[in-house]
Amino acid sequence: MNQDFVAGDVHPSSVPALEVTNAGLRYGRTWALRGCFASVPQGRVAALVGPNGAGKSSLMRLAVGLRRADEGDVRVFGRPPRGANLPRVAFVAQDKPLYPELTVAETIRAGAGLNPRFDTPGARKRLDDLGIPQAKKVRQLSGGQRAQVAITLAVAKRADLIVLDEPLANLDPLARHEVMEGLMSAVAERGLTVLLSSHVVAELAEVCDHLILVSQGRVQVAGDIEELVSEHRLLVGPSGTAPAGTYDVVGSSETERQTTLLARVRGPIHDPRWTARELSLEDMVLGYLRTPDAVLAPRPVAL
Amino acid sequence: MTWLAIRQHRIRMISMALVVVLWAGFVTAERLYPGIRGISASLFAYLPLVMGVFLGAPLLSREYERGTHQFAWTQSVTRSRWLAPQVITAAVLGLATTGLVTGLIWWSLRTLPHELTGLLPFTWTLFAVALGTFWSAVTRRTTVAMGSAFFGVAACQLIAEGLRNRATREFGWAPATLGAVEAAITAGLAGALIAGAWWFVTHRDPG
């Protein structure tokens, strides 16, 4: 997996890269997040999806240690994302903040000075490959180039978990493609865990294998994408009835003649009047987005 | 991280060089026109204001305003390790400027007024930078921190003036004792304010 192991830094691969347990985050009196549960196993590429203002950025700030949870617990590789654990997590914030008065080369130098494991030759090579002139000041770069520099720095940090807040926002389709391609090659090379957020699920479907759906400050559902898609069904049957079987209803809509349920099924549906249709990832996500109150995230038994 | 702190202070280094050039101008004018002798020393009271406003106040608020604290604080070093070189760079820059300006004034006048003797100009510089840094950490807005630092340093100068006169009149303190006590108080306050700024950076997470 990771060749950059430091003695004493060893973690069994069963420890999740990110573990959020009943986490809450407050801005003044309003809770931006409350009762959040999520777990991302190591080596996964996880998508954090939700509408604007759902709490995606707040969850990411907790994961990278920019904020401390007001309640609950957030752990990265089994430890809080602070102090000695900081080298394990890299972060690219939504606006890709970099020092505008520094040149690209100086920005790399700053990254090398702030990170003992920083991969300076790798960062330089990646920017050369992308055709980003290193003598230019950061403020002279286009939005796409700036995003590339920010992501390059995060990758060069050689962290084990890389967190990217809307890395593709404000980028044209070509730049989106290049950003994702660059990121995925880094993932494949180093076997790192990625958490990236978006409010568009389509642009993440190709690369992600793990999903965390957030709405109104809570995690609605989280887990392996294939498993989630295979568990969710669109149940269609006559109105006024409910199908027999074990399932959790996410959302429902009713017409005069038929009822449509989006459900997470736990066993076969034994009801000849009802049909169970398989769903695409996008349809499943849309179903959750339409019913922001539905929360099906796993909860510890003790609670 | 020391390199980054010094690089980020480049514009402020140029500003401080201009301050020294300004005082060199005052001193040259004094030498050419003996009638205005003493102007370089009397204008010295404004130097701590400049230090607080331009070296202290932008230190953290610039990071918060541009969102770059999100970059700086998610690298491999703790916020304390990041903050130390920033504060030290600002302090050293302020002290060097104060030293050069004091040197110019001494060269011109061959004598120094009370507020320019011994460690006093240096402890006042440290106090002003610390007060600016403190407001920078608390308000997270450069303009607000600059205003707070300006009026804060000015108010403290007036209070110090009053206390100084009172100590001389009522306790009959010698200028040397007075200078030592004043230096100790300003240095102590500078330390307390930097500790306060550190506490805000490490314990009060920004939104």
Side-chain angles (χ1 to χ4, degrees), chain B residues 76-166:
Chain B
S76 297
V77 298
T78 60
R79 292 181 201 180
S80 309
R81 288 277 308 280
W82 169 85
L83 182 64
Q86 296 279 346
V87 171
I88 291 168
T89 308
V92 167
L93 187 52
L95 292 176
T97 309
T98 309
L100 287 170
V101 168
T102 314
L104 280 169
I105 296 171
W106 184 81
W107 175 75
S108 173
L109 303 179
R110 296 287 152 188
T111 169
L112 290 172
H114 167 76
E115 66 269 23
L116 276 154
T117 46
L119 290 174
L120 261 189
F122 300 100
T123 58
W124 268 99
T125 293
L126 288 179
F127 168 73
V129 171
L131 188 66
T133 308
F134 177 76
W135 285 126
S136 192
V138 174
T139 66
R140 294 177 184 163
R141 289 280 165 274
T142 306
T143 44
V144 182
M146 281 179 159
S148 311
F150 183 89
F151 289 109
V153 174
C156 289
Q157 284 179 326
L158 287 176
I159 293 166
E161 177 84 40
L163 291 176
R164 223 180 277 143
N165 292 340
R166 210 169 147 195

Side-chain angles (χ1 to χ4, degrees), chain B residues 21-33:
Chain B
V21 168
L22 186 71
W23 248 275
F26 291 150
V27 165
T28 314
E30 271 177 347
R31 298 236 125 188
L32 292 174
Y33 309 100

Side-chain angles (χ1 to χ4, degrees), chain A residues 6 8 12 84 86 108 116 118 139 164 171 179 202 224 244 262-263 273 285:
Chain A
V6 181
L86 276 174
I108 292 175
F118 199 81
R139 72 159 64 86
L164 303 113
L171 294 184
V179 165
D224 181 89
L262 173 64
R273 295 170 300 172
V285 170

Side-chain angles (χ1 to χ4, degrees), chain A residues 61 68 99 101 106 115 157, chain B residues 63 74-76 202 205 207:
Chain A
R61 286 163 165 278
R68 262 159 289 209
Y99 296 103
E101 70 271 24
E106 285 173 329
N115 299 288
K157 185 182 173 182
Chain B
E63 302 277 343
T74 52
Q75 306 303 313
S76 297
T202 52
D205 292 339

